[in-house]
Amino acid sequence: MRKFIKKITHPFLKYALKVYYHKPRKYCYDSICVQVHPKVFPPHLTFSTKILLDFIQPLDLKDKTFLELGCGSGIIALIAAKKGALVTATDINQTALNYLDKNAKKNNLTVEITYSDLFDSITKHSFDYIIINPPYYPKKPKNIKENAWFCGENFEYFEKLFHQLRNRNNLQNIFMILSEDCDLKKIKSIASKNNFTFHLVESKTVFKEKNYIYLIN
């Protein structure tokens, strides 16, 4: 946590992020390009989105039901749709959803877009794949943009997530990406009390930061 706070509060980084994201920016992967609004989680200068994109790229998603829970830019949802998946994308950031709608149309792809705080407004009870790139730093978010980074002072995001997952059926491949910077022990303990375990399926180090993709059982 200290490592992250040092990075995110470093004056140069804060200034660089402010300057770079003063207007919508294009982000592309495998011929799919999206415009990312300044108030939406940035895939350009972070590693997790690219790692997840590389992870789902070889998967056979044809006709599979696919949920990106907290989609941000929506690029993962769009790549899944390109691969033939039946995609649902959710977020609590309405700006992110508005931009995803525009980006889906520009790329001639179909995605079911739903405003939802985790599973609150998701009516489907079964998904073949769920991808989660969660906020994992313990701090109360001050605005909608900070919800992409901070999970609440007491990890409220994870408390709610695993409680909801426990009460849903037929959820098969649930993948979550986490960083060595976060409190893995705390997050796993919240999962454990809801009868979930983490199985490491991939680890990747980018610029000395190790990221982990877990299968949640």
Side-chain angles (χ1 to χ4, degrees):
M1 177 61 186
R2 289 192 297 270
K3 181 179 177 183
F4 167 75
I5 291 297
K6 183 177 180 180
K7 287 193 298 183
I8 203 66
T9 58
H10 191 283
F12 177 78
L13 179 57
K14 289 180 69 176
Y15 177 76
L17 287 170
K18 183 177 180 179
V19 170
Y20 188 81
Y21 287 109
H22 75 284
K23 63 179 182 179
R25 292 283 183 178
K26 181 186 287 187
Y27 182 82
C28 299
Y29 184 92
D30 190 27
S31 78
I32 299 297
C33 292
V34 298
Q35 288 289 328
V36 184
H37 191 274
K39 293 183 179 180
V40 176
F41 180 79
H44 311 76
L45 304 179
T46 56
F47 313 131
S48 55
T49 300
K50 175 62 164 53
I51 293 171
L52 285 172
L53 286 166
D54 290 343
F55 175 73
I56 71 169
Q57 186 71 328
L59 298 179
D60 179 11
L61 299 179
K62 180 68 173 176
D63 296 325
K64 302 294 186 182
T65 52
F66 183 101
L67 170 64
E68 185 180 8
L69 193 67
C71 62
S73 69
I75 185 70
I76 292 173
L78 293 178
I79 290 296
K82 180 185 177 183
K83 292 172 63 64
L86 307 174
V87 179
T88 300
T90 72
D91 210 293
I92 59 171
N93 186 335
Q94 188 60 54
T95 299
L97 299 180
N98 293 341
Y99 266 66
L100 174 55
D101 183 50
K102 295 176 184 178
N103 289 320
K105 291 174 181 176
K106 286 181 180 179
N107 287 281
N108 296 312
L109 294 169
T110 300
V111 175
E112 181 180 328
I113 300 171
T114 302
Y115 179 90
S116 183
D117 183 356
L118 293 175
F119 285 93
D120 285 356
S121 301
I122 299 176
T123 57
K124 292 182 181 178
H125 289 276
S126 176
F127 291 96
D128 296 312
Y129 287 90
I130 298 177
I131 299 294
I132 308 173
N133 186 0
Y136 40 62
Y137 299 109
K139 178 180 175 181
K140 183 178 180 180
K142 298 178 181 178
N143 51 55
I144 195 66
K145 184 177 180 178
E146 287 194 357
N147 276 282
W149 297 95
F150 302 119
C151 63
E153 293 177 350
N154 297 303
F155 293 81
E156 288 89 347
Y157 172 95
F158 292 99
E159 294 282 1
K160 182 173 181 176
L161 171 65
F162 288 109
H163 176 75
Q164 290 186 332
L165 285 174
R166 186 182 65 188
N167 292 311
R168 296 182 74 89
N169 298 318
N170 302 318
L171 300 179
Q172 299 182 36
N173 299 297
I174 307 172
F175 294 101
M176 177 184 290
I177 188 167
L178 295 169
S179 164
E180 65 177 345
D181 286 348
C182 69
D183 191 340
L184 288 168
K185 183 177 180 180
K186 175 64 175 180
I187 295 170
K188 289 180 179 180
S189 72
I190 295 172
S192 179
K193 74 179 183 180
N194 287 281
N195 299 318
F196 287 98
T197 58
F198 281 37
H199 173 67
L200 181 65
V201 295
E202 182 177 309
S203 64
K204 189 169 185 178
T205 301
V206 184
F207 294 115
K208 297 184 179 180
E209 178 183 340
K210 185 171 287 188
N211 292 265
Y212 309 96
I213 297 178
Y214 292 100
L215 173 65
I216 300 174
N217 297 310

